[in-house]
Amino acid sequence: MDIGDSPEEAAFRAQARTWLEAHATRRSDASRPLPLDEHVPAALAWQAKLHKHGWAGLSWPEAFGGRGMSSVMSTIFNEEMAQFEQTLGPLTVSLGMVAPTLMAHGSPDQQRHIASMLRGEQLWCQLFSEPGAGSDLAALSTRAVLDGDTWIVNGQKVWTSLGQFAQYGILLARTNPDVPKHKGITYFIVDMADPGIEVRPLVQMTGHAHFNETFLTDVRIPAENVVGDVNDGWSVARTTLTSERSSIAGGGAGWSVETLIELAQHTGRANDPIIRQQLAQAHCRSVALTAMGYRVRTAASRKRMPGREMLTMKLAYANHWVATMETAMTLLGGNAMLAGDDAIAEERWQPAFLNQYAIRLGGGTDEVQKNIMGELGLGLPREPSTDRGIAWKDLPT
Amino acid sequence: MDIGDSPEEAAFRAQARTWLEAHATRRSDASRPLPLDEHVPAALAWQAKLHKHGWAGLSWPEAFGGRGMSSVMSTIFNEEMAQFEQTLGPLTVSLGMVAPTLMAHGSPDQQRHIASMLRGEQLWCQLFSEPGAGSDLAALSTRAVLDGDTWIVNGQKVWTSLGQFAQYGILLARTNPDVPKHKGITYFIVDMADPGIEVRPLVQMTGHAHFNETFLTDVRIPAENVVGDVNDGWSVARTTLTSERSSIAGGGAGWSVETLIELAQHTGRANDPIIRQQLAQAHCRSVALTAMGYRVRTAASRKRMPGREMLTMKLAYANHWVATMETAMTLLGGNAMLAGDDAIAEERWQPAFLNQYAIRLGGGTDEVQKNIMGELGLGLPREPSTDRGIAWKDLPT
Amino acid sequence: MNFDLSEEEQVVAELAQQLFSDLAQTERVKEVEEADGFDRDLWQALADVGLLGLCLPQSAGGSGMQMVALAQLAQAQGRHVAPVPLVASITASMAIAEHLPAEAALLTATADGSEVVTAALAEAGANNPWVPTVRATIDGESVRLVGTKPAVPALPIASHVLVSAVVDGRPALALVDTAAEGVTIEALRTTNHEPQGHLTLDTAIDVRRLVTTDGALDGLLHRVLIATSAVQLGVCEGAVAHAAAHVSTREQFGRPLSAFQAVTQRAADAYIATEALRSTVLNAAWQIDNGDDPTADVLSAAYWASEGTQKVVLAAQHLHGGLGSDVDYPVHRHFLWGMQLGGALGSATAHLARLGHHIATSAS
Amino acid sequence: MNFDLSEEEQVVAELAQQLFSDLAQTERVKEVEEADGFDRDLWQALADVGLLGLCLPQSAGGSGMQMVALAQLAQAQGRHVAPVPLVASITASMAIAEHLPAEAALLTATADGSEVVTAALAEAGANNPWVPTVRATIDGESVRLVGTKPAVPALPIASHVLVSAVVDGRPALALVDTAAEGVTIEALRTTNHEPQGHLTLDTAIDVRRLVTTDGALDGLLHRVLIATSAVQLGVCEGAVAHAAAHVSTREQFGRPLSAFQAVTQRAADAYIATEALRSTVLNAAWQIDNGDDPTADVLSAAYWASEGTQKVVLAAQHLHGGLGSDVDYPVHRHFLWGMQLGGALGSATAHLARLGHHIATSAS
C-alpha cells in the first residue's frame, strides 16, 4: 500500500500544474460560478483547449482519441484542475456518461461522436426519466414505433439537465410493450434539433432552471441511431447509469471543509465548541471520502470494477453534502434564506442546500442504492418483486 | 385545555403523598434496585399493602374490586409513588397485561384471578414468543391438542420474563394448523406448577437472567382455562399486546434528566458545552414525553382509545432511552464497561444501556411499530403480505 | 388535567381552518407570492371574523384569549402556508397591549386589519435575540435609538415595529413608527417570498413608547417562539399530508410507494417528529399562559420546531422525489417555510445551548 | 498511488486470518472468558509464527513491519473477537524499541511470547490521554512516579507497563516493572471479560527507563488509536457478517428478514459505516508510517471507530432481535467489544473536540 504519488505520477502532477498555471485562473475568494448560459460555452471552450494541448481523454483508449494512460493519471489531472476556476461540469453527461456508453456499445459510426466530444464540439443530454417512471426507470412509457427505417417517437421526459443547450440526447423508449418491462426498451441517439422536440425549463425552488421537461411528438429517429440491439436498451442503459453514479461520487470531496471553516470564521463562530464539533465532523467525512476515493481509483487502475466502493462513496457523499449544508445553514442563521442579491454568498450555499435532493436522487435514490448494496455488499436475497415476468402492457397503472 | 390538577385532583394528590410519606421510603442517592429474587416478593407485599389501604386498582371497575376512578387519578398516584423506593415493576405482566385481558375476555371463573392479583397474591408471566416466531408472533408453532376435556400442549417459548417466579402464565398455542396463521390460535391460562413445564434462565450480556426459555412437554390444561373462544386467541392476544405497549410507553419519562445531569456533575463534565448540549437534548425529549403523556391520559380519561398517541410515545420513549444511554456512556468514558462490583453506579447505567434492545423489541420492534403507524397515523396502504390466506401448515419453514 | 382544547379554543381552530382552506388555496398563494407576499384580502377576512384581535383585550375590540388559542390559529396558517404576517403582528400587539396600554388607537387598528405591527428581535451574527444590540439612551422625554436589526418579518408593510434594545445594560422594547425620520428600511427578497426588511435606526421616540418592565423582552420572545413553532407544526402537518397522499398514489415497481418499508419508515419518522412538536407546542403555550417560569418548556418546543421541522420537510421533499422541488407542486412551500422559520430566532443548537445553561443553572 | 496491500502485507492478513479462524473459535473464546480472559495458547501460536514480533526490529527477532501490517493483524483479531492483548503489547513494544533500545531482552521476550507488555494511557474523569497526570520527578539516576491510571488493558498479565507521565510540565513515558515495589495493581472485571487493572504508582525507576523525547507520547497514542480502530473494523466486519447471515436465513411473515426494506436499509447503513472505517483506518495507518503529521487522519479514523462501530454493533444487535443479547449466540461479543473499545481512549466527541482544535488551528 502506498497512497503517495509514484515518481512518474509526481512528475506528471508537476507538469499538469505548470500547464494549468499558464492557461487557467487559480480559484480565489473572488471566484464565482458562471450563470448557466455562460457556463456551457465556457466549458466547451475549455474542453477544446485541453484537447488542443493534449490534456483531454487522458485515460481513454487511444483508439478513441484518448491518451491511454492509467485512470490514476486522469485523477491527478482533475485534482490539480479543481484548484482553478475552469470546470467541465456541464459536460458530465457527454464525457462521463455518453462517451463510456458509446465506447462499449456504439457502432463505429456512432463512436465518431466521441472524438467530437473530446474536442469540445458537442453537448449531450439524457432523456431517461419520465413523470411516471422515477426510481422504477424501466417502467417508462415513451413509445417508439418503426416506420420503414425510421423510428417514430412519442412521449414525455423529465429532469433533462441542460436540455435547452444540448445538440444530442440519449433516449430510452419502449419498442415492445408485450414483454416484461426491462426487455422491450431500446436505446437511441436523438438529434435535439428535431422539430418534434420541445424543451421546457422546470423552475426550481432556487429560481433556476437547470432541469427541463422534454416533450417528444412524432420525433423521427433513423434506425442507425439505435445503440446496441433493438429491445436490448436496458443493458446499454446500465453502462450509462453506472457511469452516472461514478460521476456523482467522483464529484470529489465536494464542499471542502476549508470553505465551511471560512464561513464559520466569517460569521465569527469558529470558536463556538458546538460549531467546531460540526466542522470536525465535516473533516472526518471528508477524510473518509478521500480515502474511499483512493480505493475506487486503485480498483479502476487495476481494471477491477469498483462497484461496491462506488455505491458506498455515492451514499457517503450524499450524507456529507446534506450534513455540511445543515452546518452552513446554522452558521448563516436568520440570513440563510435570503434570496437573490440579498443572500450572503448566495451562489454558494443556499442553492446548494436547496439542491440537495439532486444529490440524493440523481443516479438512483438513497433507498434504491441501499437495496443494491444489501445485495452486492452483504449478499442479502432480493426483496420479492411483484411485477417480475409480467408484460409491460399488463402492469397496473 | 388545562394541564394542571383540578381542585379534586390536587386534593387526591395531597392525600396520596401523605399516605406514601407514612408508608414508603422516599428515593435518595443511596437508593439501589433490589436483586430480582428480593424484588418479586417485595413488589407483591407492596401491592398487598396498597390494596389493604385502598390504593390498588384505582381506575379499575368496582366490579373487579377496583375503585372506579378516572385514569387521571391512577396516574397521579403513580407519579407520586415514583418518588419512593417501592415499585410494582415485577407485576407489570399481571396488573398491566393479564388483568385487562381477563376483564375484557375472561369467564367469571377466570376473572376471579383479578382480585387475587389486586391483593398481591399472584405473579403472572407471558408465554407468547417462540424461537421461530419473533415479530411474526402469529407464526407460533407450540401445539395444543384436545384430549377429552383437557388440552395437551407441547412446544417451546422464549423471553419469558420472571417465568421462574410466576404462579400462572398466559399462553398462546396453535389449535388448528389447517387455517391461516391468525385463525388457529387459542389463548390459555396455564398453571406454572404443572410438571410438564421447565423454565430455564437465559443469561444475558449483563450477566443477569431476567428472561427465560420455557419448555412445555405434555402440559395438561383443563378446557375451562381457554380465554375467549377456541381458535379465536389472536383477538384476545391483541388486548394483551396493546396493554403491553401501553405499559412500556407508560414507563414514564424513564431515565430522568436530573439523574443524567447528576452524572455529568459527578464526572466533572456539566460545563462541557458538548455535554451540556446533550443534556439539553435529553431535557427536550423528556418534555415531549411528558406532554405526550398528557395527551394519552386525557384520551384515556375520556374513554377514547389512545392508540396513535401510545405508538408515538413508545417510539419516542425508545429513542429517549437509547440517546440518554449514549450520553451516559460518553460521560462514564473508559469506566463505562467495567462490570459487576467494579462498575460505577453499576446498577443504574450499564445494564440499562445493555438492555436497550428490550425497550426496542418489547411489544413489537420499532420497525413493526412504524409500519403500524404508517397505517394508523398516515392512512398508508399496507405492505403486500406474502402469506395472507395460506393455511399455517402450508407456510414455508 | 385535561389536554383537550376547550370549546372556545376548538372554535378558533375550526374557524381558522375554514378560513384558510377557503381563502388560501394554492392558486391564490402563488398569485400573492408573485406580488409582494402579503395577502391583503385574507388579512381583512381574518380581521372581519375577529381573529386578528384574538389575543387583544376586549377594550381594544379583541377577544382576550391567550397562547393556546393563538397556537390554533398559527397552526392552521402553517398548514396552508398562507402569506400573512400573523405571528409578527399578533404577538407584537399583545406586547403593546400589555405594556403600552395608552396605544389604544394602534391596537384597534391592528385588530380591524388596517395596520400591521411587527417586532424586530433577531440579531446579526450568532443571532442571540436575548441580548439586544440596539442602544437606547433616555434624554428627558425623548429616547434616542441607534443600531440595526436584520431580517425583520413584515417590516416593509408594517406601520409600527417593536424593537428590542438595551438601555443602561438592561433589555427594553421600543415602539417605533416605521415612517418616522431616522428609520431606514431596506426591503429584502426571501426564498419563501415572505416580506422582510433590514432595519437601521438613528432616531428618537417619546419615552412613553419605551418599555423597561422586567421580563418584557423574555415574554415577547417566548410568545414569538411558540407562535412560530405552532406555524411550523402546521407546516409539518401539511408536509406530512402531502407526502402521505403522494406515496399512497404514486406507483413504482408495480405497487404504491407506501408499500415499500423504506418509505413507510421515513414517513413514520416524520409523523413522530410532528407529534413531538404538537405535544411540546401545546404544553409550552399553556405554560406561558399559566406557568411560573415557562422558559424550559418554550426552549424545548423551539428546539423541536427547528430540529424536527427541518427533518419533516426534508423527508416530505425526499418522498416526493424530483417533484418536490418543482415550483408547480405545492409541497416545496412547506419546505421553504420550514427552513425559513427554523432559523428566524436562533437555530436548534442555539436553543439547546440556552436551555443547557438554564437547566444546569436551575439544577445546581 | 496504490491503496491495495503489498504482497508482504497481504501475507500478514492471510496468516492472521488463518490463525484466528483455527484457534479462536467460539467455543474456545467462551472457555477463555470463563477463565482469566487471556488465551495463552493462542498467544504462543501468534509468537511462533512471528506475529508478535511483526513490528519489532530484526535485531529483537522481529520483522520490522509497520502500522499498515499491524492493522491487518488487529483487524483479523477483531473479526474473531479473540481474547489476547495484541494491541496493548505490540504498540507498547514498538515504543520501547524506538525509544529504549537498551531493553533488548524485554523486546525479545515480547516477541517470543514469554512476556506481555502494555501501556497505561487513559486518564480518570474526562479521559484526556494527551495530558498525563502521573507526576515524574527526576532525582539523579532515579525517577519517582506518583499517580494513578484507571482501566489499563492487560495489566494483570503484563510484566511491564509503559506509563504516560508528566515531567517538568512536559509529557513523558516511563517503563515500569509491574512487580516492583510501590506498584499496586487492582484487577478489574470488564463486561467483555478482557483483563484490565487500575494502576497506582508510588515508586521509583531508573532514569534510563524514562522517555522524554518530543512527540513520543503522541506517537504511541496514534499507534494505539489506529491499532484499536483496526480491531474495531474487524469487530464491525464480524458483526455485519453475523447480521447478514441471520437476516438471510431467519424467516418472519413468510419471507426472510432481509426481504424487508427496513432491515436491508439498516444493514446497508452498517455496511457503509464499516467501509468508512476501513478506508480511514488504512489511510491513517499509512500516514503514521509515511506522513508528515498524521494527527488529523488519526483522529478522523478514531472518530469513525468510536461513532461508527457503536452504530454498527447496535444495528447488528437489533437485527438479531432478542437473540442478540443471549450469551449463547456469538454476536453479543462484537457488541461488547465495540462498546468497550469505543470509550477506551476518549469518546467520539473527545476525538472531535481535539480534531476541531487541530484543524481550526492549522487553518488560521
Side-chain angles (χ1 to χ4, degrees):
Chain A
M1 197 178 120
D2 187 355
I3 297 174
D5 288 342
S6 68
E8 187 199 1
E9 289 161 0
F12 179 78
R13 189 185 292 278
Q15 199 188 345
R17 193 173 298 170
T18 308
W19 184 83
L20 285 162
E21 290 288 2
H23 294 85
T25 320
R26 193 165 269 282
R27 252 179 215 286
S28 73
D29 277 357
S31 302
R32 282 280 175 277
L34 295 171
L36 218 46
D37 54 348
E38 298 173 30
H39 198 181
V40 169
L44 287 166
W46 177 237
Q47 175 66 23
K49 193 168 196 171
L50 290 177
H51 180 258
K52 191 177 141 200
H53 292 265
W55 297 104
L58 290 175
S59 61
W60 290 9
E62 292 176 23
F64 295 116
R67 301 265 319 265
M69 302 171 107
S70 117
S71 62
V72 171
M73 294 305 196
S74 77
T75 306
I76 288 176
F77 188 77
N78 290 338
E79 282 174 359
E80 294 303 315
M81 192 168 75
Q83 295 162 41
F84 294 82
E85 284 186 0
Q86 282 68 16
T87 81
L88 297 174
L91 308 186
T92 305
V93 170
S94 315
L95 301 174
M97 295 160 61
V98 178
T101 307
L102 294 184
M103 287 182 205
H105 304 279
S107 68
D109 248 21
Q110 292 165 353
Q111 289 179 337
R112 264 185 280 170
H113 286 296
I114 297 171
S116 307
M117 288 183 231
L118 211 51
R119 288 193 300 267
E121 294 165 0
Q122 289 183 358
L123 185 82
W124 289 63
C125 66
Q126 185 199 38
L127 300 161
F128 281 15
S129 287
E130 297 188 2
S135 289
D136 187 10
L137 179 59
L140 57 89
S141 60
T142 290
R143 287 297 310 277
V145 178
L146 193 60
D147 175 24
D149 58 358
T150 301
W151 292 88
I152 313 291
V153 182
N154 282 283
Q156 184 187 346
K157 296 289 179 176
V158 74
W159 311 123
T160 323
S161 305
L162 304 180
Q164 66 270 56
F165 302 104
Q167 286 89 48
Y168 293 96
I170 45 176
L171 169 78
L172 292 182
R174 185 157 310 280
T175 39
N176 184 355
D178 299 322
V179 290
K181 61 184 180 183
H182 292 93
K183 313 209 160 170
I185 293 172
T186 299
Y187 193 117
F188 296 94
I189 292 173
V190 56
D191 185 334
M192 294 298 285
D194 191 291
I197 297 182
E198 187 193 351
V199 177
R200 287 188 206 157
L202 267 177
V203 180
Q204 291 137 260
M205 288 188 287
T206 55
H208 299 165
H210 179 80
F211 293 110
N212 300 274
E213 290 178 295
T214 306
F215 296 84
L216 304 123
T217 313
D218 293 333
V219 173
R220 303 178 64 83
I221 303 182
E224 66 259 30
N225 279 16
V226 169
V227 183
D229 292 331
V230 170
N231 292 327
D232 191 34
W234 190 250
S235 63
V236 182
R238 288 174 81 107
T239 303
T240 312
L241 295 171
T242 306
S243 310
E244 179 175 16
R245 233 172 263 148
S246 311
S247 25
I248 294 178
W255 291 93
S256 77
V257 182
E258 285 69 34
T259 319
L260 196 67
I261 295 177
E262 276 164 31
L263 181 66
Q265 285 165 341
H266 179 74
T267 53
R269 307 283 292 282
N271 287 317
D272 177 332
I274 308 294
I275 295 297
R276 200 173 260 194
Q277 199 85 350
Q278 294 183 18
L279 299 179
Q281 269 170 323
H283 183 86
C284 291
R285 293 191 302 265
S286 144
V287 168
L289 281 168
T290 305
M292 286 173 179
Y294 296 146
R295 287 169 65 191
V296 170
R297 269 183 272 153
T298 299
S301 71
R302 305 264 161 135
K303 309 280 175 217
R304 297 194 305 266
M305 183 63 205
R308 282 190 268 175
E309 289 89 346
M310 206 62 110
L311 266 174
T312 313
M313 198 164 162
K314 200 256 177 190
L315 281 160
Y317 182 60
N319 287 338
H320 179 49
W321 183 289
V322 172
T324 302
M325 289 307 126
E326 277 178 17
T327 301
M329 291 291 113
T330 301
L331 288 170
L332 289 168
N335 293 321
M337 297 295 283
L338 294 184
D341 297 338
D342 293 328
I344 292 177
E346 181 255 354
E347 291 296 342
R348 250 182 201 164
W349 296 105
Q350 202 218 35
F353 179 69
L354 297 178
N355 262 330
Q356 53 180 283
Y357 72 92
I359 301 292
R360 289 231 167 256
L361 301 172
T365 65
D366 286 0
E367 288 77 12
V368 169
Q369 312 261 352
K370 286 186 191 172
N371 287 340
I372 300 175
M373 186 173 289
E375 283 175 53
L376 290 188
L378 297 167
L380 302 181
R382 287 181 77 134
E383 190 179 21
S385 158
T386 55
D387 61 359
R388 197 161 293 171
I390 302 176
W392 178 79
K393 69 173 166 41
D394 299 326
L395 290 177
T397 50
Chain B
M1 195 178 121
D2 188 356
I3 296 174
D5 288 342
S6 70
E8 186 201 0
E9 289 161 359
F12 179 78
R13 188 186 293 278
Q15 202 187 343
R17 194 174 299 170
T18 308
W19 185 84
L20 285 162
E21 290 287 2
H23 294 85
T25 319
R26 194 166 269 281
R27 252 178 216 285
S28 73
D29 277 358
S31 302
R32 283 280 175 277
L34 296 171
L36 218 46
D37 54 348
E38 297 173 30
H39 198 182
V40 169
L44 287 166
W46 176 237
Q47 174 66 22
K49 192 168 199 173
L50 291 177
H51 179 258
K52 189 176 143 201
H53 292 264
W55 296 105
L58 290 175
S59 61
W60 289 10
E62 291 174 25
F64 295 116
R67 301 265 318 265
M69 300 171 108
S70 116
S71 62
V72 171
M73 294 306 196
S74 76
T75 306
I76 288 176
F77 188 77
N78 289 338
E79 282 173 0
E80 294 303 317
M81 191 170 74
Q83 295 162 42
F84 294 81
E85 284 187 0
Q86 282 69 15
T87 82
L88 297 173
L91 307 186
T92 305
V93 170
S94 315
L95 301 174
M97 294 160 61
V98 178
T101 306
L102 293 184
M103 287 182 204
H105 304 278
S107 68
D109 248 21
Q110 292 165 353
Q111 290 178 337
R112 265 185 280 169
H113 286 295
I114 296 171
S116 307
M117 287 183 233
L118 213 49
R119 289 193 298 267
E121 294 165 1
Q122 290 183 358
L123 185 81
W124 290 63
C125 65
Q126 185 199 38
L127 300 161
F128 281 15
S129 287
E130 297 188 2
S135 290
D136 187 10
L137 179 58
L140 57 88
S141 60
T142 290
R143 288 297 309 276
V145 179
L146 193 60
D147 175 23
D149 59 357
T150 301
W151 292 89
I152 313 292
V153 182
N154 283 283
Q156 183 187 348
K157 296 288 179 177
V158 74
W159 311 121
T160 323
S161 306
L162 305 180
Q164 67 270 56
F165 302 106
Q167 287 90 48
Y168 294 96
I170 44 176
L171 169 78
L172 293 181
R174 185 156 310 279
T175 40
N176 184 355
D178 299 321
V179 290
K181 60 184 181 183
H182 292 92
K183 313 210 160 170
I185 293 172
T186 300
Y187 193 116
F188 296 94
I189 293 174
V190 57
D191 185 334
M192 293 298 285
D194 191 291
I197 297 182
E198 187 194 350
V199 177
R200 289 188 205 156
L202 267 177
V203 179
Q204 290 138 259
M205 287 189 287
T206 55
H208 298 163
H210 179 80
F211 293 110
N212 300 273
E213 290 178 296
T214 306
F215 296 84
L216 303 124
T217 313
D218 293 334
V219 173
R220 301 179 65 84
I221 303 182
E224 64 261 30
N225 279 17
V226 170
V227 183
D229 292 330
V230 170
N231 291 327
D232 191 34
W234 189 251
S235 64
V236 182
R238 289 174 80 107
T239 303
T240 312
L241 294 171
T242 306
S243 310
E244 180 175 16
R245 231 172 265 147
S246 313
S247 24
I248 293 179
W255 291 93
S256 77
V257 182
E258 285 68 36
T259 320
L260 196 66
I261 294 177
E262 276 164 32
L263 182 66
Q265 286 165 341
H266 179 74
T267 52
R269 308 282 293 280
N271 286 317
D272 176 332
I274 307 294
I275 295 298
R276 199 172 261 195
Q277 198 85 350
Q278 294 182 17
L279 299 179
Q281 270 171 323
H283 183 86
C284 291
R285 293 190 303 264
S286 145
V287 168
L289 281 169
T290 305
M292 285 174 181
Y294 296 145
R295 288 168 65 191
V296 170
R297 269 183 273 154
T298 299
S301 71
R302 305 264 161 135
K303 310 279 175 216
R304 296 194 306 263
M305 182 63 204
R308 280 188 270 175
E309 289 88 345
M310 207 63 109
L311 266 175
T312 314
M313 198 164 162
K314 200 258 178 190
L315 280 161
Y317 182 59
N319 287 338
H320 179 48
W321 184 289
V322 172
T324 302
M325 289 308 126
E326 277 178 17
T327 301
M329 290 292 115
T330 300
L331 287 169
L332 289 168
N335 294 320
M337 298 295 284
L338 293 185
D341 297 338
D342 293 328
I344 293 177
E346 181 257 353
E347 291 295 343
R348 250 182 199 163
W349 296 106
Q350 202 218 34
F353 179 70
L354 296 178
N355 261 331
Q356 55 178 281
Y357 73 92
I359 301 291
R360 290 230 167 256
L361 301 173
T365 64
D366 286 1
E367 287 77 12
V368 169
Q369 311 261 354
K370 286 187 190 172
N371 287 339
I372 299 176
M373 185 172 290
E375 283 175 53
L376 289 188
L378 297 167
L380 302 181
R382 286 182 78 134
E383 190 180 19
S385 158
T386 55
D387 61 0
R388 197 163 291 170
I390 301 177
W392 178 80
K393 70 172 166 38
D394 300 326
L395 291 176
T397 49
Chain C
M1 216 294 304
N2 175 17
F3 210 62
D4 283 349
L5 296 180
S6 72
E7 227 169 282
E8 263 186 316
E9 290 154 357
Q10 190 61 42
V11 167
V12 172
E14 283 162 18
L15 181 62
Q17 168 64 19
Q18 186 62 49
L19 203 76
F20 289 118
S21 66
D22 287 350
L23 300 179
Q25 289 173 340
T26 302
E27 279 312 303
R28 172 65 184 161
V29 171
K30 254 172 112 164
E31 244 176 74
V32 174
E33 276 178 0
E34 283 157 19
D36 70 349
F38 174 36
D39 188 340
R40 288 174 178 75
D41 296 351
L42 176 58
W43 193 247
Q44 198 50 56
L46 286 160
D48 293 348
V49 296
L51 286 173
L52 292 188
L54 184 69
C55 300
L56 290 180
Q58 285 165 350
S59 58
S63 320
M65 294 185 77
Q66 303 241 40
M67 285 302 298
V68 173
L70 177 54
Q72 305 312 311
L73 175 56
Q75 192 181 336
Q77 180 200 11
R79 224 179 275 133
H80 296 84
V81 289
V84 281
L86 261 186
V87 168
S89 194
I90 294 185
T91 53
S93 63
M94 286 171 87
I96 296 168
E98 191 176 344
H99 301 294
L100 300 168
E103 303 291 341
L106 178 57
L107 291 174
T108 310
T110 65
D112 71 18
S114 54
E115 286 188 8
V116 170
V117 291
T118 185
L121 299 168
E123 296 290 336
N127 192 10
N128 182 355
W130 312 86
V131 181
T133 57
V134 166
R135 311 220 136 254
T137 321
I138 303 176
D139 179 13
E141 293 302 291
S142 155
V143 182
R144 178 121 219 107
L145 296 170
V146 179
T148 61
K149 289 282 185 180
V152 181
L155 190 61
I157 54 174
S159 70
H160 292 77
V161 54
L162 207 49
V163 178
S164 62
V166 60
V167 54
D168 294 336
R170 295 165 55 81
L173 295 172
L175 182 62
V176 175
D177 184 330
T178 54
E181 209 179 327
V183 177
T184 314
I185 291 170
E186 178 201 345
L188 297 172
R189 281 176 58 201
T190 60
T191 311
N192 75 341
H193 304 277
E194 173 192 330
Q196 289 196 348
H198 284 324
L199 176 66
T200 307
L201 295 171
D202 187 355
T203 188
I205 59 165
D206 190 313
V207 74
R208 280 165 299 186
R209 287 193 151 179
L210 185 72
V211 181
T212 53
T213 320
D214 235 21
L217 173 60
D218 281 11
L220 176 55
L221 281 171
H222 288 164
R223 285 190 178 132
V224 175
L225 279 170
I226 292 312
T228 306
S229 299
V231 176
Q232 285 170 290
L233 170 57
V235 165
C236 288
E237 289 179 331
V240 169
H242 278 299
H246 178 73
V247 301
S248 298
T249 49
R250 166 90 163 168
E251 299 223 342
Q252 298 268 280
F253 304 103
R255 34 173 157 145
L257 280 177
S258 61
F260 293 91
Q261 274 197 348
V263 168
T264 320
Q265 304 267 315
R266 183 125 196 220
D269 284 337
Y271 180 81
I272 297 167
T274 306
E275 294 308 303
L277 179 54
R278 184 191 314 283
S279 302
T280 50
V281 163
L282 280 176
N283 172 59
W286 188 87
Q287 300 289 352
I288 290 176
D289 295 343
N290 302 282
D292 293 335
D293 175 6
T295 310
D297 291 296
V298 166
L299 291 171
S300 296
Y303 164 78
W304 285 107
S306 288
E307 179 74 10
T309 304
Q310 178 155 336
K311 285 217 167 65
V312 170
V313 297
L314 274 172
Q317 201 68 8
H318 183 77
L319 291 172
H320 273 80
L323 291 185
S325 85
D326 183 347
V327 291
D328 285 334
Y329 285 81
V331 74
H332 78 280
R333 271 184 202 94
H334 295 264
F335 178 78
L336 292 175
W337 277 54
M339 291 298 157
Q340 172 80 45
L341 297 173
L345 283 180
S347 60
T349 56
H351 299 316
L352 284 182
R354 188 166 181 85
L355 177 60
H357 180 75
H358 185 82
I359 58 177
T361 313
S362 317
S364 66
Chain D
M1 217 293 306
N2 175 17
F3 211 61
D4 283 348
L5 296 179
S6 71
E7 227 169 284
E8 263 187 316
E9 290 153 357
Q10 190 60 42
V11 167
V12 172
E14 283 163 18
L15 180 62
Q17 168 65 18
Q18 186 63 46
L19 203 76
F20 289 118
S21 66
D22 287 351
L23 299 180
Q25 288 173 341
T26 302
E27 279 313 303
R28 171 67 185 161
V29 171
K30 254 172 113 164
E31 245 177 73
V32 174
E33 276 179 359
E34 283 156 19
D36 70 348
F38 175 34
D39 189 339
R40 287 173 178 74
D41 295 351
L42 176 57
W43 193 248
Q44 198 50 58
L46 286 160
D48 292 346
V49 297
L51 286 173
L52 293 187
L54 184 69
C55 301
L56 289 180
Q58 284 166 349
S59 59
S63 320
M65 294 184 76
Q66 302 241 41
M67 286 301 298
V68 173
L70 177 54
Q72 305 313 310
L73 174 57
Q75 191 181 336
Q77 181 200 11
R79 223 179 277 134
H80 295 85
V81 290
V84 280
L86 260 186
V87 168
S89 194
I90 294 185
T91 53
S93 62
M94 285 170 87
I96 296 169
E98 191 177 343
H99 302 294
L100 300 169
E103 302 291 341
L106 178 56
L107 291 175
T108 309
T110 65
D112 71 17
S114 53
E115 287 187 7
V116 170
V117 292
T118 184
L121 300 168
E123 296 289 336
N127 192 8
N128 182 356
W130 310 88
V131 182
T133 57
V134 167
R135 312 222 135 252
T137 322
I138 303 176
D139 178 13
E141 292 302 292
S142 154
V143 182
R144 178 121 219 108
L145 296 169
V146 179
T148 60
K149 290 280 184 180
V152 181
L155 189 62
I157 53 174
S159 71
H160 291 77
V161 53
L162 206 51
V163 178
S164 63
V166 58
V167 54
D168 294 335
R170 297 163 54 82
L173 296 172
L175 183 62
V176 175
D177 184 330
T178 54
E181 208 179 327
V183 176
T184 314
I185 291 171
E186 178 201 345
L188 299 171
R189 280 176 57 201
T190 59
T191 311
N192 74 342
H193 303 277
E194 172 192 331
Q196 290 195 348
H198 284 324
L199 176 66
T200 308
L201 294 172
D202 187 356
T203 188
I205 58 166
D206 189 314
V207 74
R208 278 165 300 186
R209 285 192 153 179
L210 185 71
V211 181
T212 53
T213 319
D214 234 21
L217 173 59
D218 281 10
L220 177 55
L221 281 169
H222 288 165
R223 284 189 179 133
V224 175
L225 279 170
I226 292 311
T228 306
S229 299
V231 176
Q232 285 170 290
L233 169 58
V235 166
C236 289
E237 288 179 331
V240 168
H242 278 299
H246 177 73
V247 301
S248 298
T249 49
R250 167 89 163 168
E251 298 224 342
Q252 299 269 280
F253 304 103
R255 35 173 156 145
L257 280 176
S258 61
F260 293 92
Q261 274 197 348
V263 168
T264 320
Q265 305 265 316
R266 184 125 195 220
D269 285 337
Y271 180 81
I272 297 167
T274 306
E275 294 307 304
L277 180 53
R278 184 192 312 284
S279 301
T280 50
V281 163
L282 280 176
N283 173 58
W286 187 87
Q287 300 288 353
I288 290 177
D289 295 344
N290 303 281
D292 293 334
D293 175 6
T295 309
D297 290 297
V298 166
L299 291 170
S300 296
Y303 164 77
W304 285 106
S306 288
E307 178 75 11
T309 304
Q310 178 155 335
K311 286 219 167 67
V312 170
V313 297
L314 275 171
Q317 202 66 9
H318 183 77
L319 291 172
H320 273 81
L323 291 187
S325 86
D326 183 348
V327 292
D328 285 334
Y329 283 82
V331 74
H332 78 280
R333 271 184 201 96
H334 295 264
F335 178 76
L336 293 174
W337 276 54
M339 292 298 156
Q340 172 80 46
L341 296 174
L345 283 180
S347 60
T349 56
H351 299 316
L352 283 182
R354 188 166 182 85
L355 177 60
H357 180 75
H358 185 82
I359 58 177
T361 314
S362 316
S364 67

